[in-house]
Amino acid sequence: MRKLFVLGVSVCVAMAIAGCRGDDDDTGTDGGRRDSGPGVDASVRNTTIQKIQMGMEPEGSIVSVVGAVVTAQKTRTCGTAMCFDVWVQEPAGGMYSGVMLFGVPQAVAATLARGDEVSFTGEVDEFMAGGTTPDTDSVTEIKVSSVTKTGTGKTTPVSTVTPAMLAAKATAEPWEGVLVKIENFMVANAFTSSGTTVSWNVWGGGIVDDELFGLPQGPRSKDCLASAQGPLHYFYGYKIFPRDASDLVTTAGTGCPAFDLEFTMAECTDGVDNDFDGFRDCKMGTTPGTGDFSCESYCASLTPPLVTTAPVALSIATLRGAVPPDNTLIKLTNVIITAIDSRPNGTSASAVNNIWVADNAAAAASQGIMIFAPNEASVAGLSVGQTVTVLGKVLPFTATGGGQEVEIARDPYVFGAAGTTAVVPLDSTLAEANMEDREGVLVRIAAVKAAAAPAMGETLLTPMGTATTPTLVMTDNLIDLASVVANTCFTSVTGIIRHGRCGTSPAFTACYKLDVTALTGAAACN
């Protein structure tokens, strides 16, 4: 991007695909820009990608570049046909060395692969998304008129950048279109769509996006990852597009910074975007850039609350009976903690990942719910049986393979009261007629057997004795099941019912799982 130029197109969605256009079918409905051809100046300028990205070739110029190397491709729909966007880079790499070629015809793109050498001719364009949610900057692209493959097997380097460099235009812009890598970075937020992770906001700056390759679903907020690489693109922020699994190393990174969301009074009133998500502090009227979603639950807890919309006060039973729209800010008052997930994560051996709460200490159908990834400062020191008030947003979560559960998510804030109450599970059976009513509820199931030793932390529970049906999958998400062996019978098993997936890829199916909190009366049996 070098200058702003608002196009008469609409954004598909704010986190949509790179190069998303209101009209890509060359029918002229985009005001003539997309099928305007060579433009006013018909002369072709022989140049380099560096000169284009440094602004030495004005927008609208017809340029020709030779010896560029293909680094990535994207397939998309152009009306009734398919066409491609192709990222290319100068062989030496470095700042300003990469650019995206927009609208490469399918017949040409089908012959291209990474490492191919190409020459191309086209018009310099500065695309900035418009519509109802206009972007604030543009991306440099070439609307190609011709692309010719001139060689194969070429290499071009990957440049290492830092999240801090991607946080500001001055330091990120020179790397737009270039193959870049970030190392030892922390996931600030893992964004999902229909239950699938589509992007990671990187703590410190930048985004890792699934534009070219589906992201693995394991990493989550606060995880420290080893590396991610791909072409850097601008579309509502600077985004790295991994091209395949080899561009991602999701094993534990080292030396990640201390994680810092905006959620304390100081951070939500200091005028600083502490978590680099583009927003800061509590909502200040119509002030641009204010109203950080990770502050919202905290801001609602203040007196007076600093939110534009007051939270909806509900019981869990009422919420489950008529689930409010996604993203509704709600308040659960005087609910009881029934379970806590404090498994080690990427940055802590004792962080609270999730908690479950119920309307009453005695569990009941449709009266339990998960509080997903609560504000860590707000849950420090809380324990099962404690009475709390929760502020957060409704999130209907769809598990892979199907099955939807309702959670309270998006940085929920929890207020604890002193003292604890003994929680009483809801007695249930493997053959429960309506397991859906048990989702999020602490249940106790009597006289069951582990069919086998846990594999990948899971095994089937069956009725005690020789019967094999009905079944329920029990998991080690909350306690260690390493001591469980095949044909171990239990007087009872207690845990939280949730949605999950069963089977093997790609034929996953929806099923119910029991995140075990306690095993009672273990003994060998047939």
Side-chain angles (χ1 to χ4, degrees):
M1 69 189 71
R2 297 169 298 157
K3 62 181 181 179
L4 304 184
F5 193 94
V6 180
L7 299 180
V9 298
S10 60
V11 180
C12 290
V13 289
M15 296 296 293
I17 60 170
C20 178
R21 303 293 196 270
D23 175 55
D24 288 329
D25 59 3
D26 292 337
T27 60
T29 57
D30 57 0
R33 298 199 70 244
R34 190 51 61 198
D35 48 9
S36 57
V40 177
D41 182 3
S43 63
V44 177
R45 301 166 62 91
N46 296 318
T47 189
T48 64
I49 296 174
Q50 282 94 342
K51 290 181 178 179
I52 295 169
Q53 286 286 25
M54 293 175 71
M56 299 170 67
E57 305 294 352
E59 183 177 12
S61 298
I62 306 302
V63 295
S64 180
V65 174
V66 299
V69 179
V70 174
T71 59
Q73 292 177 270
K74 168 67 180 180
T75 307
R76 59 186 176 80
T77 302
C78 299
T80 58
M82 301 299 294
C83 57
F84 291 76
D85 300 327
V86 176
W87 282 263
V88 295
Q89 185 168 308
E90 298 281 3
M95 292 191 297
Y96 302 105
S97 65
V99 74
M100 188 186 83
L101 308 184
F102 173 78
V104 177
Q106 183 178 13
V108 176
T111 69
L112 300 179
R114 280 188 232 168
D116 284 351
E117 180 186 79
V118 296
S119 61
F120 62 86
T121 300
E123 179 184 348
V124 178
D125 183 41
E126 288 293 321
F127 174 75
M128 187 174 80
T132 56
T133 310
D135 207 340
T136 57
D137 225 322
S138 61
V139 61
T140 304
E141 62 184 27
I142 306 298
K143 298 190 295 181
V144 293
S145 55
S146 68
V147 179
T148 303
K149 181 161 73 172
T150 56
T152 59
K154 305 297 180 180
T155 60
T156 185
V158 179
S159 299
T160 300
V161 297
T162 65
M165 293 167 65
L166 304 183
K169 177 179 177 179
T171 49
E173 177 59 23
W175 302 103
E176 180 190 277
V178 179
L179 275 179
V180 299
K181 174 192 279 190
I182 53 173
E183 297 178 317
N184 299 315
F185 67 96
M186 184 172 290
V187 177
N189 292 293
F191 288 95
T192 62
S193 175
S194 299
T196 300
T197 300
V198 296
S199 66
W200 303 323
N201 266 24
V202 176
W203 195 95
I207 299 166
V208 178
D209 192 270
D210 73 344
E211 181 67 17
L212 304 182
F213 176 74
L215 299 181
Q217 300 302 295
R220 54 184 174 174
S221 177
K222 309 180 195 60
D223 281 354
C224 180
L225 306 185
S227 67
Q229 68 181 37
L232 184 69
H233 191 77
Y234 181 85
F235 188 72
Y236 292 92
Y238 288 96
K239 302 179 179 182
I240 295 174
F241 292 164
R243 300 160 296 174
D244 55 33
S246 67
D247 278 345
L248 292 165
V249 181
T250 56
T251 53
T254 59
C256 283
F259 189 77
D260 183 22
L261 274 177
E262 290 190 70
F263 51 62
T264 67
M265 170 64 83
E267 291 165 337
C268 289
T269 56
D270 62 2
V272 177
D273 180 13
N274 302 92
D275 55 3
F276 302 94
D277 67 354
F279 297 91
R280 66 183 189 279
D281 298 353
C282 299
K283 182 69 175 176
M284 305 299 180
T286 58
T287 304
T290 62
D292 193 299
F293 76 92
S294 63
C295 280
E296 191 164 3
S297 296
Y298 181 84
C299 297
S301 73
L302 303 178
T303 305
L306 294 178
V307 291
T308 54
T309 303
V312 179
L314 295 170
S315 68
I316 298 173
T318 301
L319 185 153
R320 288 202 168 280
V323 178
D326 184 16
N327 225 33
T328 300
L329 183 64
I330 61 95
K331 183 177 184 179
L332 304 176
T333 303
N334 295 330
V335 291
I336 309 295
I337 297 177
T338 57
I340 297 177
D341 173 7
S342 56
R343 291 170 296 166
N345 60 33
T347 60
S348 172
S350 60
V352 173
N353 302 298
N354 311 298
I355 67 173
W356 285 261
V357 296
D359 280 334
N360 302 286
S366 301
Q367 292 189 23
I369 197 165
M370 183 171 79
I371 312 302
F372 175 75
N375 175 299
E376 285 194 16
S378 74
V379 293
L382 294 182
S383 57
V384 170
Q386 201 158 348
T387 300
V388 295
T389 294
V390 179
L391 282 158
K393 292 187 175 182
V394 173
L395 175 64
F397 174 78
T398 302
T400 303
Q404 187 177 80
E405 64 185 44
V406 179
E407 303 169 351
I408 305 302
R410 301 190 173 98
D411 295 283
Y413 203 85
V414 181
F415 307 86
T420 60
T421 301
V423 296
V424 180
L426 175 64
D427 287 320
S428 300
T429 70
L430 295 180
E432 201 64 52
N434 191 355
M435 193 69 78
E436 182 65 23
D437 287 346
R438 270 66 178 165
E439 181 220 313
V441 175
L442 184 69
V443 302
R444 178 171 51 210
I445 302 174
V448 289
K449 178 178 68 174
M456 301 296 289
E458 298 185 347
T459 189
L460 282 178
L461 284 178
T462 64
M464 189 180 292
T466 58
T468 58
T469 58
T471 63
L472 178 68
V473 178
M474 75 170 180
T475 80
D476 66 354
N477 282 340
L478 302 182
I479 65 170
D480 187 2
L481 299 182
S483 62
V484 175
V485 297
N487 296 320
T488 301
C489 284
F490 301 97
T491 304
S492 66
V493 175
T494 302
I496 300 287
I497 295 290
R498 66 173 175 86
H499 280 286
R501 70 180 185 185
C502 292
T504 57
S505 179
F508 289 123
T509 59
C511 62
Y512 290 100
K513 297 189 176 183
L514 181 73
D515 291 341
V516 177
T517 60
L519 299 167
T520 304
C525 62
N526 293 321

